[in-house]
Amino acid sequence: MNTPAAQFPYPWQRCKIVHLVRHGQAMHNVEGDKNREALLSPHLFDAQLSPLGLQQVDKLRKDVHASGLLKRIDLVITSPLYRTMQTAFGVFGNPERSADDCPQIMAVELCRDRLGVRPCDMRRRVSECQALFPSFDFSMMDGEDDRIWNPDVREPEEEIAARMVLFMKWLWTRPEQEIVIVSHGIILQHILYILGNDCHQTVRSALCKRFDNCELRSVVIVDKSLGAADSQVCSPTPSGVAKAKVLREQVSN
């Protein structure tokens, strides 16, 4: 890390470094750009990466390896949708299916895409996911079948925001200090809305701008609650979750 420790006013025991990654371009992105109604097609169920998306993943993998970031990562958290798992494995996994020199990758239901209506946002059965990505940890999944995707109701943004508060509270219970989150544009923006809650408006606007496909954005988050113990395990409220500081604007395109 390039920032000298003397310039950072908080003890690292009360901080986490979080790298936010949006998945590579997926087939629903391609079809949705042509016609938004295409997003309702069952043929786009749990959409996979497009050929361009696979190229974006390969580029980000090379950038992550060249920067030395991979060696610092303690944990990779991914949405359980196919496009995010492809991205997580393609960038941070080991194609030889060996755990050596690669962080653990964990699928977490809380950070999946906006729920409901669109088949591209419905996930596969857990057993299918395990067959596709046998090295992943699926212990945080809510069951074999996708029971939280509703074909008739699109998840309201206020419910997404509430879900991200729960996700960030859970994240603070993790012992790992440097974590990657591979998720979806709207989900990553809501995470940053929470983290930038006490930032100046100009900083918050820059921090929460829309993610490009396969963009990596890194922040330091700080538990500023007065009663926090001097340990890595913190449980802040949304107002105490963090002030987000940009550590590295991008590693990718």
Side-chain angles (χ1 to χ4, degrees), residues 28-81:
H28 74 297
N29 299 133
V30 175
E31 297 303 322
D33 285 345
K34 299 175 186 174
N35 177 9
R36 299 301 289 177
E37 292 299 314
L39 296 173
L40 300 176
S41 170
H43 297 296
L44 291 173
F45 166 74
D46 196 8
Q48 65 182 347
L49 293 181
S50 69
L52 175 59
L54 293 170
Q55 292 175 22
Q56 292 170 334
V57 167
D58 185 60
K59 180 182 183 303
L60 183 56
R61 179 182 180 86
K62 290 174 181 175
D63 291 343
V64 164
H65 278 258
S67 69
L69 175 60
L70 186 68
K71 296 179 181 179
R72 302 201 308 271
I73 298 302
D74 301 314
L75 176 68
V76 176
I77 296 167
T78 182
S79 156
L81 296 187

Side-chain angles (χ1 to χ4, degrees), residues 17-19 21 73 75-78 92 178-182:
I17 301 172
V18 180
H19 306 281
V21 179
I73 298 302
L75 176 68
V76 176
I77 296 167
T78 182
F92 302 100
E178 191 154 357
I179 298 173
V180 172
I181 300 170
V182 182

Side-chain angles (χ1 to χ4, degrees), residues 39-42 44-47 117-123 149:
L39 296 173
L40 300 176
S41 170
L44 291 173
F45 166 74
D46 196 8
V117 179
R118 296 176 179 174
C120 57
D121 299 329
M122 185 178 185
R123 70 161 171 83
W149 183 88

Side-chain angles (χ1 to χ4, degrees), residues 86-105:
Q86 281 183 292
T87 302
F89 184 75
V91 176
F92 302 100
N94 191 325
E96 303 301 324
R97 298 197 174 184
S98 167
D100 295 343
D101 301 322
C102 285
Q104 175 66 59
I105 303 177

Side-chain angles (χ1 to χ4, degrees), residues 1-5 8 12 15-20 69 72-73 177-179 192 207 216-221 243-251:
M1 189 168 59
N2 296 326
T3 305
F8 197 75
W12 281 110
C15 304
K16 289 186 187 294
I17 301 172
V18 180
H19 306 281
L20 304 168
L69 175 60
R72 302 201 308 271
I73 298 302
Q177 195 163 16
E178 191 154 357
I179 298 173
L192 288 176
L207 186 70
L216 185 155
R217 213 176 291 174
S218 302
V219 294
V220 175
I221 60 175
K243 174 175 284 187
K245 292 180 176 283
V246 175
L247 173 68
R248 184 182 300 101
E249 186 60 33
Q250 286 186 348
V251 175

